[in-house]
């Protein structure tokens, strides 16, 4: 039995290992983040939650993972 | 003849009755933020975006849990952007998050004074306006920059009174006066407003609104302070609308003074 | 937690909820004066005494016809007095007229600036206090004089912000701050308050009340302006009570700024 | 028949002729002033309206005759 | 057409070329005081009187050892006096010591702000003038008091800019302007002058001289600082004499601007 | 220990002893301009370029006839330029005229306030620096813009105190302070300096030089006024170099106060 | 005999007629301007006096003709 | 032999014992003060140095003993 293939992606500027073809919401959950509260930029483009739900991650992808916070 | 403002503030395609915009930073709880927003009667509140920390529970949950979004237009800012490109990316992220296509554009690379970069701000404004954003740029009190941002299609200009969070009030009155005189869009005075008298002064100069954050958020009673700022802002706006008197070099008596008891 | 002042202002043996005292000079009609007094929510208004012109109808009828004396304490001033003796005589005349045994003591011989005479004011205050008057002296912003008047038994001190009717606001902030810090009686800032922001600044310095006349009386809409001053005065008083923040030399961010989108 | 005796008094700093022993309210009315609206200082002492009503003027008396007016 | 003042300052029966009076307090040595006095070109320096400590060697020897009394009029002050009577006694002691019959009259009972007492100051001035003293009273910037002191025969009035030693400059500009406008004797601005620009501002308002102490005495280089204050004081006096321009609300070009390179 | 500045001001590849730069506009004759320049001791004076009127004798002959070009660096300005391109063309014309390859870069399209355009100024600065000009840009007191101009290679930054010719002094002190704190090139305060005290204040804030024009040129005695500004500017620079004291909230006695004559 | 050929040029934004091939200094003198005091931009390029002396004007040329003046 | 008679005087507000009929300069020297640098108020009246030299102190006398110091 072979191990599931993994990929290296960059999340918020840091390297992270993830299962290949994992969807963005699944990935966020592996990071203990609630996809409903998170906004994602994928390879430099902002994604709505609907768009993000349809993205499956590949090796070398870059993610910005942000949330709304208090601010002036 | 009525104490509530009877002319609305028009920004972009929206109308506002309140002339006090609230920043949501620095409150010590979501509850106190919510209470202050409510007490202020505001119709627009700012939020920021921040990289999520992986595998770490954020203490402050989701800000939207505490904002009554049916009451307020939620205005994302671009704080943290070091240049035009980053600001544009943040604005797009906020739109993707489902917020209105509005943005408080702020680009202030210097961490000590948080003063805005005029060059990057104009560059970002041009891009964002073209993409259909309603752009409210935070700027130094520079009248020529203010005109260029208006020419570029910005919905307001937001000149600073003094550095963010400094509570020093309107140190830039002379130039804000010029900005207001020349403005074709609403002028919102932002930053440094640390006391009701500062908000009042801005409105008396002819500003259309003020944005207040620190002075309310860190007050011992944010709710009461929000109420005080709201009352002052609108009363001073009303006074400006009615028309304030000119200053004079000498006195002008309020009582009859002549030939009284001179015997 | 409530927007109306919840501590009363105590002057002499009376308590007041309103912290805005109105001068009645310069209104263009008795009706507009009455409307402004009402709209302001004031509880104390000043009047003056004037030699009656013989065989000449006075145009303005009797001021008391227009003052709702059940609503307000009517405070006679001594405007026109050139020295202590004349001020004392005016105060006694006001008492004889049936007004409360209170007096706004003002002695300002110079007709250009109407600045008060410290020597005559103290002399008159000593006499009037001894005769049982509640004395509210109008003074320059002189902290030592303020203390001496308190020692003499005055019920307040009323330092000026700038010359009467000049609309220049609080030019004496540094010394008013000292007067307030040292005061054992209420401090009422009087004269020069030409805009709501001025009234707000006085209250934020810690004043107990302000007296406003010209800015309301000559406004195009005295009633609306009275309301604006009242709202500002009380909101700023509330803000001072809650506690305003300190000023800082640098900025202090209201949004998270670190490591955002730096790639 | 002799004319009624008159007196010289000083009113608000100016000499005025009046009938001898005229009461203050009567005198005020001769000056077209309403005693109910006027306050009187008689020979340097302020008088209530009741007191003033009882005063009859004599030669050389000094009156200050004032009213309440608007003032700041 | 000459850079040195060409009109003398007349106080009492003496004429002075220098418009900078020096206080001698707070220098860290007699030598540095002497050097600063010399460098300043001053012609009048103040000294104080102090109870001698019995059986204790005073560290600072005798101040007159360090003052070139042929160069300067030595002006004793009454610092420490709590009331008129003490001030008068101090003035008489100074005269008995052989100093000129001049006195800088200062009565400031409050130890925090050292602000002068107008009542006691006038009382002492009246006595001292009657005894033949040339009286230079230190006062708050109260124009009516200034007039009364002139009426009493004082040789100058010395209104304060801000509290003694505070370095805060001319916080009382509006009232000093009035004092100068009405003065019949030289006006010397005293106290709070902490930088050359403050001295310059005083002279531009029309003051006849300034008194500086702390800013020079505690400077790292008192001699250089004395020179800087002297140069600024006299240059600003000269500028005032020549006539400074009015301020304007708009700009006024210094270069030709029209139709240039517009193609 | 010497009254003349003992550290030189380095701009570009040149050193200057004088810290007062003179504008040559508005003098009423070439002779009075020459006399003022000489009296000021300046080492740098500005000139402008202007379209020649065809077939019309210019009244003022050639400005260079009145400038002793061996004494001063003649600094052409770009007044009249509406944008970066025009400013660059003017700078090149000045160079072609044989002036030093230096330029006071000023682009102020608004005729009422003559406030500089930050965007065009940076654009022109980048081009001119690349072409080898020593660029001294006139700017609003915007610290971020000042940094960007330094990054672009400008030899100084010249923030304004208040609008050109307004005589209003340093209304932008807070932001000029930041510019100076962050500067890596000399900071020259330009515009609005209407009195010696304004020049002194700029130097005390830490400026390296000031540029003065209107206040000297339109004075009744330009030569005397030039001398007054020069003396003040250098004295205040010296005072700043020596080190001025901090301000304090309370007083600090200059005479011994304790236990004197208390009996 | 034919008249000397003339050209239309633009000087300081206005049309001016001049003899063909006239040198810049000559042209300036026809305009009562002293070439030693004038700086010229020719077709958008600033010219030193030496350079200007060598230029002969042609139809359609654009000149900016400026001088140094007092300025702040 | 009896001791020299002494007196109680008040100097700068404090009680001091001194020999009867001592002159002011002598008294100052007993206090280690230089009479040439000191100014004296004797029973409420300022004294020049010449006057002070002639004063001999008696029981109950009040002295203020001051010097010139630096002051602003």
């Amino acid at each position: 039995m072979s191990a599931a293939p993994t990929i290296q992606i960059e999340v918020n500027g840091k390297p992270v290992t993830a299962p290949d073809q994992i969807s963005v919401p699944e990935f966020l959950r592996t990071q203990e983040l609630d996809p409903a509260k998170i906004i994602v930029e994928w390879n430099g483009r902002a994604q709505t939650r609907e768009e993000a739900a349809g993205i499956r991650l590949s090796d070398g992808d870059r993610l910005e993972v942000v949330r709304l916070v208090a601010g002036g | 003849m009525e104490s509530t403002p009877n002319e609305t503030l028009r920004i972009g395609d929206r109308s506002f009755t309140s002339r006090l915009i609230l920043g949501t930073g620095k409150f010590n709880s979501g509850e106190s933020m919510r209470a202050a927003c409510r007490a202020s009667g505001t119709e627009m509140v700012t939020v920021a975006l921040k990289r999520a920390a992986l595998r770490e529970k954020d203490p402050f949950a989701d800000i939207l849990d505490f904002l009554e979004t049916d009451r307020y237009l939620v205005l994302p800012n671009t704080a943290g952007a070091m240049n035009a490109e980053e600001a544009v990316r943040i604005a797009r992220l906020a739109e993707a998050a489902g917020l209105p296509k509005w943005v408080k554009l702020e680009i202030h690379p210097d961490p000590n004074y948080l003063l805005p970069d005029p060059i990057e701000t104009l560059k970002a404004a041009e891009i964002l306006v073209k993409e259909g954003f309603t752009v409210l740029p935070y700027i130094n009190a520079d009248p020529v920059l203010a005109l260029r941002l208006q020419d570029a299609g910005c919905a307001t200009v937001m000149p600073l009174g003094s550095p963010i969070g400094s509570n020093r009030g309107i140190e830039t009155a002379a130039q804000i006066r010029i900005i207001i005189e020349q403005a074709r869009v609403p002028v919102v005075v932002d930053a440094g407003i640390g006391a009701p008298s500062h908000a009042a002064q801005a409105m008396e100069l002819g500003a259309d609104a003020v944005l207040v954050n620190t002075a309310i958020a860190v007050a011992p009673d944010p709710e009461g302070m929000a109420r005080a700022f709201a009352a002052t802002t609108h009363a001073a706006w009303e006074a400006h609308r009615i028309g304030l008197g000119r200053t004079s070099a000498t006195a002008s008596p309020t009582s009859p003074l002549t030939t009284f008891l001179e015997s």
Side-chain angles (χ1 to χ4, degrees), chain A, chain B:
Chain A
M1 238 170 62
S2 65
T6 62
I7 54 176
Q8 286 290 327
I9 61 175
E10 188 186 298
V11 182
N12 290 353
K14 286 176 194 145
V16 174
T17 302
D20 195 10
Q21 294 300 311
I22 190 170
S23 76
V24 165
E26 283 170 61
F27 170 72
L28 292 175
R29 273 186 289 262
T30 67
Q31 303 298 317
E32 294 169 27
L33 294 169
D34 177 355
K37 311 273 189 195
I38 290 293
I39 320 154
V40 166
E41 187 192 69
W42 176 58
N43 294 334
R45 303 187 71 98
Q47 309 294 327
T48 64
R49 289 204 184 86
E50 294 68 40
E51 290 168 343
I55 293 171
R56 297 191 166 269
L57 297 173
S58 307
D59 197 60
D61 279 355
R62 281 173 299 109
L63 286 187
E64 284 291 333
V65 171
V66 306
R67 58 165 74 245
L68 292 180
V69 297
Chain B
M1 292 291 155
E2 43 177 88
S3 65
T4 54
N6 57 9
E7 292 174 14
T8 58
L9 166 64
R10 185 96 195 152
I11 301 178
D13 58 359
R14 300 275 295 250
S15 291
F16 302 89
T17 302
S18 168
R19 290 170 182 277
L20 175 59
I21 305 175
L22 246 63
T24 61
K26 290 186 173 177
F27 284 90
N28 62 15
S29 74
E31 287 76 11
S32 88
M33 182 190 76
R34 178 163 51 199
C37 288
R38 231 183 246 172
S40 74
T42 189
E43 295 164 326
M44 199 188 314
V45 299
T46 62
V47 297
L49 278 78
K50 192 191 160 200
R51 273 183 172 170
L54 304 189
R55 294 177 198 284
E56 230 175 301
K57 291 289 167 200
D58 247 285
F60 201 140
D62 189 323
I63 182 155
L64 294 185
D65 294 350
F66 294 97
L67 283 178
E68 299 163 294
T69 54
D70 50 330
R71 290 181 179 230
Y72 320 119
L73 184 143
V74 176
L75 178 68
N77 71 29
T78 63
M82 303 301 278
N83 51 44
E85 190 240 330
E86 291 186 5
V88 169
R89 284 166 68 193
I90 295 173
R92 290 173 185 156
L93 278 165
E95 188 201 3
L99 295 185
K101 201 162 181 175
W102 287 48
V103 62
K104 181 186 171 200
L105 177 58
E106 46 179 308
I107 305 176
H108 36 65
D110 180 87
N112 278 331
Y113 299 104
L114 306 176
L115 295 173
D117 183 320
I119 310 297
E120 299 299 317
T121 300
L122 179 60
K123 204 183 297 178
E126 288 169 340
I127 295 169
L128 290 168
V129 166
K130 209 163 288 169
E131 296 190 5
F133 280 87
T134 297
V135 180
L136 298 79
Y138 168 62
I139 58 171
N140 212 315
D142 178 330
V144 180
L145 179 65
L147 284 178
R148 296 202 60 149
L149 287 162
Q150 293 172 60
D151 291 343
C154 288
T156 67
V157 287
M158 305 182 73
L160 61 87
S162 50
I164 294 174
S166 72
N167 288 331
R168 294 210 308 257
I170 314 294
E171 293 182 342
T172 55
Q175 303 223 34
I176 285 184
R177 198 186 299 274
I178 298 173
I179 291 174
I180 289 170
E181 177 188 315
Q182 302 181 329
R184 304 178 312 264
V185 299
V187 176
V188 181
V189 175
D190 182 15
I193 296 181
S197 63
H198 303 160
Q201 190 193 350
M203 302 312 281
E204 290 161 12
L205 287 170
D208 295 279
V210 291
L211 192 157
V212 180
N213 187 341
T214 300
I216 292 174
V218 308
D221 170 8
E223 191 179 349
M225 196 57 93
R227 206 178 284 116
F229 270 93
T232 311
T233 301
H234 290 107
W237 177 81
E238 181 71 16
H240 176 74
R241 199 180 62 82
I242 292 171
L244 290 161
R246 295 184 165 280
T247 59
S248 64
T250 56
S252 155
T254 50
S255 300
L257 299 176
T258 44
T259 67
F260 189 42
L261 294 187
E262 288 166 29
S263 45

